[in-house]
Amino acid sequence: MGNSALKAHLETAQKTGVFQLTGKGLTEFPEDLQKLTSNLRTIDLSNNKIDLLPPLIGKFSFLKSLVLNNNKLTALPEELCKLKKLETLHLNGNHLRQLPAAFGQLAALKTLSLSGNQLRTVPTQLCGLRHLDVVDLSRNQIQNVPDTVGELQAIELNLNQNQISQISVQISHCPRLKVLRLEENCLELSMLPQSILSDSQISLLAVEGNLFEIKKLRELEGYDKYMERFTATKKKFA
């Protein structure tokens, strides 16, 4: 891609606050973007070949949305955590194994998508994020859900297509969790905490494709209570 094309994109971005350059085979984050650190609200560099996010990402202090789906990122810089206004972060289809230690400083974050990475655990850093609504950790290599999950503030947690065989009972203490997706994991029925059914806010539990028949779920203590929440929620959205 020539310089003139990039220049045109930069000029548009200066006016709109949106820089979108997808599927152009970029191997690195465009350095020229740093001229727009105070303009940009949205950066979308999906479907490229970027393997490194430079520390200068921390300078985009007005950034609300950062989308880097389907790149080659193996790690994220600590500087990313300086983005105090960031509400949406999409990093699906990369090679991430963990999140920066300071990730919990992204205080405004509402939507986080990390589907199709190489995470082995639910990152504890997510528990400090007070405004988190949706967390997508599907298609990773997560094997268990730790006790810290009880502090997660999300409304929806997607853990589909992992290798989960153990879930902490603390998940039923999540104060806002309404939707829990656990499809296509390695769960035995005995490993599903019954308190999810009897004693949580969860009104949609998706567990198809595990090591038990779905109809067995109905035999568990608390299933009726869960169905009450499920039905009430359905009525609300009908």
Side-chain angles (χ1 to χ4, degrees):
M1 191 186 63
N3 276 344
S4 56
L6 182 59
K7 203 170 165 210
H9 275 281
L10 287 168
E11 281 170 10
T12 310
Q14 192 161 7
K15 296 189 189 95
T16 61
V18 177
F19 185 84
Q20 186 176 31
L21 201 55
T22 60
K24 294 286 188 243
L26 294 181
T27 54
E28 51 188 50
F29 187 88
E31 292 277 316
D32 287 348
L33 280 186
Q34 54 187 327
K35 298 171 188 161
L36 300 177
T37 47
S38 55
N39 301 61
L40 289 183
R41 305 291 185 271
T42 299
I43 295 176
D44 183 354
L45 294 167
S46 296
N47 303 312
N48 282 296
K49 295 173 181 168
I50 299 167
D51 58 2
L52 201 66
L53 200 53
L56 71 88
I57 191 68
K59 294 183 178 160
F60 293 88
S61 43
F62 297 99
L63 201 62
K64 284 193 162 183
S65 174
L66 178 60
V67 184
L68 288 159
N69 294 333
N70 304 318
N71 275 281
K72 297 187 179 300
L73 298 170
T74 54
L76 300 170
E78 289 287 340
E79 285 79 3
L80 177 71
C81 309
K82 292 180 180 166
L83 302 178
K84 298 286 182 239
K85 288 190 162 41
L86 194 68
E87 294 178 6
T88 305
L89 181 58
H90 289 290
L91 295 161
N92 302 326
N94 280 282
H95 307 291
L96 299 169
R97 290 169 183 270
Q98 58 192 41
L99 298 179
F103 198 83
Q105 291 174 13
L106 291 171
L109 202 61
K110 290 181 181 172
T111 305
L112 175 63
S113 275
L114 287 162
S115 180
N117 278 281
Q118 294 169 18
L119 299 172
R120 292 178 174 273
T121 178
V122 176
T124 52
Q125 296 95 313
L126 303 186
C127 297
L129 298 169
R130 295 277 160 250
H131 299 288
L132 211 49
D133 288 336
V134 179
V135 180
D136 185 353
L137 300 174
S138 61
R139 296 178 28 240
N140 276 279
Q141 296 161 16
I142 299 169
Q143 294 174 3
N144 66 358
V145 179
D147 287 348
T148 46
V149 76
E151 292 165 45
L152 189 70
Q153 300 288 321
I155 297 169
E156 175 168 344
L157 176 59
N158 186 342
L159 291 165
N160 289 347
Q161 292 178 296
N162 277 284
Q163 298 153 20
I164 296 168
S165 58
Q166 282 189 307
I167 300 179
S168 166
V169 67
Q170 296 296 328
I171 199 160
S172 41
H173 296 164
C174 292
R176 299 166 70 213
L177 192 62
K178 299 274 194 288
V179 178
L180 178 58
R181 302 186 187 279
L182 286 163
E183 293 180 14
E184 295 179 51
N185 275 285
C186 309
L187 282 168
E188 303 272 359
L189 190 59
S190 60
M191 285 299 175
L192 191 70
Q194 295 198 6
S195 56
I196 290 177
L197 298 171
S198 61
D199 196 25
S200 77
Q201 303 290 320
I202 295 164
S203 55
L204 177 63
L205 176 65
V207 286
E208 286 79 5
N210 278 281
L211 307 179
F212 59 88
E213 289 178 58
I214 284 297
K215 60 173 192 268
K216 294 276 186 210
L217 199 60
R218 297 176 201 149
E219 296 165 15
L220 290 185
E221 183 107 24
Y223 185 78
D224 294 349
K225 273 188 168 176
Y226 161 69
M227 281 314 290
E228 279 171 27
R229 296 193 303 272
F230 176 82
T231 312
T233 305
K234 270 190 105 159
K235 278 195 187 129
K236 205 161 75 180
F237 291 112

